[in-house]
């Protein structure tokens, strides 16, 4: 349609810290690595994996990992939740530091934009203030 403005997609600033992984994401990553290693061992030993398949499909793997996650008890989930908690604390510390840095950058940019080398702090031009001192 005419007259509609394109909306820019939001992109994360390059220096902003990335969000931490959840306990499930950490578990998924470790399970994926384990499944890939097992598949590699099975393929080398002539296991059930057909030679034409080139890996594990993501959908099947995601379902298997989700089922395994849902069957874990609290003690088995503990290490993943502990690691996720530690990552979350590090993230919030880094995020607060990033916010402070952004605030400082904004203040410095404002000071640079408002500072005019030809004017003195009291608003007079430099030539009139120097003549009043003599």
């Amino acid at each position: 349609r005419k007259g509609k403005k394109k909306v820019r997609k939001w992109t994360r600033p390059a220096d902003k810290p990335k969000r931490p992984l959840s306990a499930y994401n950490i578990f998924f990553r470790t399970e994926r690595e384990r499944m890939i290693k097992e598949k590699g061992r099975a393929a080398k030993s002539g296991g059930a994996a057909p030679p034409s398949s080139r890996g594990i499909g993501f959908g099947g793997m995601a379902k298997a990992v989700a089922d395994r996650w849902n069957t874990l008890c609290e003690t088995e989930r503990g290490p993943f939740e502990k690691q996720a908690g530690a990552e979350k604390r590090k993230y919030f510390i880094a995020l607060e530091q990033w916010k402070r840095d952004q605030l400082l950058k904004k203040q410095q940019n404002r000071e640079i934009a408002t500072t005019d080398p030809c004017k003195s702090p009291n608003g007079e031009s430099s030539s009139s203030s120097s003549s009043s001192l003599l």
Side-chain angles (χ1 to χ4, degrees), residues 6-59:
K6 285 189 176 183
V7 178
R8 273 193 188 172
K9 183 181 174 186
W10 183 85
T11 56
R12 183 180 60 82
D15 58 340
K16 186 175 182 181
K18 291 183 180 180
R19 293 187 70 179
L21 295 176
S22 67
Y24 176 75
N25 293 132
I26 295 168
F27 174 76
F28 191 99
R29 185 175 56 191
T30 57
E31 280 297 298
R32 178 179 179 271
E33 290 169 2
R34 184 186 61 77
M35 291 171 84
I36 289 171
K37 284 180 185 175
E38 283 180 5
K39 174 136 175 118
R41 281 191 221 123
K44 286 180 183 175
S45 64
S52 62
S53 67
R54 289 190 170 197
I56 303 169
F58 185 79

Side-chain angles (χ1 to χ4, degrees), residues 105-116:
K105 284 180 185 177
K106 279 185 181 180
Q107 289 173 348
Q108 289 172 350
N109 287 341
R110 281 189 201 136
E111 289 173 5
I112 291 170
T114 58
T115 305
D116 186 346

Side-chain angles (χ1 to χ4, degrees), residues 59-86:
M61 179 180 17
K63 186 170 177 23
V65 172
D67 290 342
R68 174 124 165 74
W69 175 256
N70 290 330
T71 60
L72 290 180
C73 66
E74 291 294 319
T75 56
E76 292 173 320
R77 285 187 185 191
F80 301 106
E81 290 174 351
K82 186 176 180 180
Q83 187 178 353

